[in-house]
Amino acid sequence: MVSDEAARGGVASLRLVSVSVRRFTVALTTALGVTLSGMGVGHAALPDQWHPLPAQGQECPYREAPPPSGGETAAPLPVPESPPGGARLGECGNVLPENAEEPPAGVSAEAWVIADLDTGAVLAARDPHGRHRPATTIKVLTALTALRELNLDDMVVATQEDIDQIGVKVNLAPGTEYTVRQLVQALVMGSGNDAAHALARQLGGVGEALGAMNGVAQEVGGLDTRAGTESGLHHPDASISAFDAALFFRTALQEPEFAEAAGNTQLDMPGVPGGVVLNASELLGSYDGTLGGLGGSTEESGFTFVGAAERDGRRLVVSLLRATAEPGIAQQAATLLDYGFSFAGETDPVGSLVIASGQEESDDAEDSEQSGDAEPGATSGAGDDGEAGSEDAAAQAAPGFSLFGTIGLPLTGLAGAAILFFAFLTLRDRRARKLAAARRAAKEQEEAQRATEDWLWPPDRRA
C-alpha cells in the first residue's frame, strides 16, 4: 500500500503539473492572441509614413485631391504626415525665403514651384503640394517611365488606335515602325498623344502603363501624383502637384535621351507630315537659355507648364498648375524664371526636391517607394484646346503593406516577453518537481532500509 505521505507527495506533484500546464496554456493562448491582434492591426494600419489628413481650413482646399470639376470629385490620395521636401513646403500660400520680394504680378497659376535644377533647392513656391489636374505635365512621367522600362531600340508599329487619339498629336502613320527612342522624342518635343498611346501599348497596355507610371512616381518621391491617362487627357482621379511636376522634370533631365529631346528644335521622323516633328515648347523659342518644357491645358486642369532654363551658369526648373489663359502660360513661366534667377544663390532655400535615386533626399520622404495598379475604365471631358477626352481608369497608388503595422510589432514583442516569462515559471516548477521527487525517493529508500533492518534484527521483546 502507498503511504499517506507518498500519496500526499503524488497529489502535490500532480498539482504542480496541473499548475504548469495551466500556465503554459495561458501563456500560449495569450501570446497567440496578442500576436494575431498585432498582425490584424498591422494589416489594417497604414504605413508609418501615411496618416489621415488632419482637419484643414479653407486655406488648404486641395491638400487631398484636385478641385471638383463638372460635378466630378477626385478620390483622395493619402497625405504624408511631413511634407516631402521640408516642413515649409506644407504651406499653402506663397512660400518665400526670408526678406525675399513678393512674387511678380501677372502669374495666375494657383500652384507653382521654382527650384535649382542641380542642387534641388526649392527657391520659392505657391501651394507646392496642392493637388491639381496634370494635363500635359504627366507626359514627363510617361517619358521617364518608358526610358526606364523599355529598350530604346525596340520597334513599335503605329496602330489606328494610336492615330485616333484626340488632342495634340504628331500624326504617326498607321503601319509604320518607330523605335521607342523616336516615340519618346516625339512625345517630349511634340507633346503627341498618339506617341504617348503607342508607348503605353509597348509597356503592356494602358492599364499596365499607368501602373508603371504610378510606381515610378512613388519611387522618385512624387506622392501627390496619380496618373489617370498616359497623355494627360482628363480623368477624374488624375492628380499632380507643382512639387511633383518639377521633381519629375528634374529627374527626367538626368536621362540623356530626355534632355536631348527637350532641347532639340526638330526631329526627323518617318510618316509624319513633312517628315519632321517640331518642338512645340513656346518657351524654347521665346526665353533665352531654355532647356525645354511641356505645356498644355484641359478644361478641367486649366493651363499647366513645366520646364527649365539656364542663366549665368545656374539652372532652374519651374512648374505651374491651374493657370488662366491670360497672360499666356509660357509668359507666366518666364516671369517666374526671371524671379528665381533674381535671387538664386543669395537666400536660403525653402525646401528641396526629393530624388529617391540618391542625390538630395529629404528625411520626410524616406522609404516611400510604393507601386500603383491600374484598372480599366472610361470617362470623358472636353478640353478647351482639344486635349481632353476619355481614357482608361487611373491606377491607384497603393500604400505599402506591413505585416505588423505601427503598433502590431510592440504587441508582438509583449507576446514574446509573456512567453519567456511563463517559460521561466514552467522551468522553475519543473525543477521543483524534480527536487520533490528526489526527496520522496530518498525518504522511501530510508524507510525501506529501516524496515529491512527491523526484519533482520528484530528488537528483544522479552520483559
Side-chain angles (χ1 to χ4, degrees), residues 242-305:
F243 178 92
D244 285 6
L247 171 66
F248 296 153
F249 200 81
R250 181 188 179 218
T251 307
L253 279 179
Q254 296 178 7
E255 302 284 346
E257 297 290 343
F258 186 97
E260 180 182 354
N264 279 346
T265 56
Q266 68 178 44
L267 166 70
D268 293 332
M269 198 162 186
V272 303
V276 296
V277 173
L278 299 178
N279 197 315
S281 174
E282 296 179 52
L283 203 64
L284 191 64
S286 62
Y287 192 85
D288 190 31
T290 298
L291 302 174
L294 281 163
S297 68
T298 68
E299 182 178 350
E300 297 79 10
S301 71
F303 285 82
T304 67
F305 181 86

Side-chain angles (χ1 to χ4, degrees), residues 58-63 65-68 91-95 106-113 125-133 240-243 299-305 319-325 329 332 336:
Q58 290 304 307
E59 185 183 4
C60 296
Y62 310 135
R63 183 57 75 234
E91 299 174 22
C92 302
N94 289 337
V95 186
V107 177
S108 65
E110 292 191 24
W112 50 262
V113 163
R126 175 183 294 164
D127 194 15
H129 283 295
R131 289 159 179 182
H132 295 275
R133 314 287 182 179
I240 201 170
S241 64
F243 178 92
E299 182 178 350
E300 297 79 10
S301 71
F303 285 82
T304 67
F305 181 86
S319 61
L320 304 89
L321 299 176
R322 201 170 177 79
T324 58
I329 191 65
Q332 294 187 49
L336 286 177

Side-chain angles (χ1 to χ4, degrees), residues 62-372:
Y62 310 135
R63 183 57 75 234
E64 284 187 316
S69 177
E72 297 174 335
T73 301
L77 278 171
V79 177
E81 181 184 27
S82 300
R88 290 213 58 197
L89 297 187
E91 299 174 22
C92 302
N94 289 337
V95 186
L96 308 177
E98 186 177 359
N99 300 322
E101 294 183 4
E102 287 296 309
V107 177
S108 65
E110 292 191 24
W112 50 262
V113 163
I114 310 168
D116 190 294
L117 195 61
D118 297 306
T119 67
V122 177
L123 306 180
R126 175 183 294 164
D127 194 15
H129 283 295
R131 289 159 179 182
H132 295 275
R133 314 287 182 179
T136 302
T137 60
I138 205 67
K139 289 172 181 170
V140 177
L141 182 59
T142 306
L144 180 60
T145 302
L147 290 172
R148 290 190 171 195
E149 301 291 331
L150 299 177
N151 186 330
L152 296 181
D153 295 322
D154 283 352
M155 304 301 296
V156 181
V157 178
T159 66
Q160 190 61 45
E161 188 178 8
D162 301 330
I163 280 60
D164 290 341
Q165 296 299 300
I166 64 173
V168 178
K169 294 184 286 189
V170 295
N171 295 312
L172 301 177
T176 302
E177 284 190 329
Y178 300 97
T179 64
V180 170
R181 179 181 287 102
Q182 288 175 317
L183 292 173
V184 170
Q185 291 174 329
L187 175 65
V188 175
M189 295 175 61
S191 192
N193 293 349
D194 46 358
H197 192 270
L199 288 171
R201 286 193 301 104
Q202 189 69 8
L203 284 164
V206 172
E208 291 292 328
L210 294 177
M213 290 166 64
N214 286 326
V216 170
Q218 294 286 311
E219 179 184 337
V220 302
L223 305 183
D224 303 315
T225 295
R226 177 168 51 203
T229 65
E230 74 282 4
S231 60
L233 294 173
H234 176 63
H235 186 281
D237 285 338
S239 172
I240 201 170
S241 64
F243 178 92
D244 285 6
L247 171 66
F248 296 153
F249 200 81
R250 181 188 179 218
T251 307
L253 279 179
Q254 296 178 7
E255 302 284 346
E257 297 290 343
F258 186 97
E260 180 182 354
N264 279 346
T265 56
Q266 68 178 44
L267 166 70
D268 293 332
M269 198 162 186
V272 303
V276 296
V277 173
L278 299 178
N279 197 315
S281 174
E282 296 179 52
L283 203 64
L284 191 64
S286 62
Y287 192 85
D288 190 31
T290 298
L291 302 174
L294 281 163
S297 68
T298 68
E299 182 178 350
E300 297 79 10
S301 71
F303 285 82
T304 67
F305 181 86
V306 61
E310 182 175 9
R311 180 183 297 174
D312 299 327
R314 183 177 292 275
R315 304 192 307 162
L316 301 184
V317 59
V318 64
S319 61
L320 304 89
L321 299 176
R322 201 170 177 79
T324 58
E326 297 294 336
I329 191 65
Q331 181 179 338
Q332 294 187 49
T335 299
L336 286 177
L337 284 170
D338 285 342
Y339 176 61
F341 281 123
S342 70
F343 63 81
E346 299 177 2
T347 58
D348 292 331
V350 296
S352 65
L353 292 179
V354 180
I355 292 188
S357 59
Q359 280 115 15
E360 298 77 29
E361 288 194 28
S362 166
D363 292 338
D364 298 325
E366 284 183 359
D367 303 325
S368 63
E369 186 172 349
Q370 303 165 15
S371 61

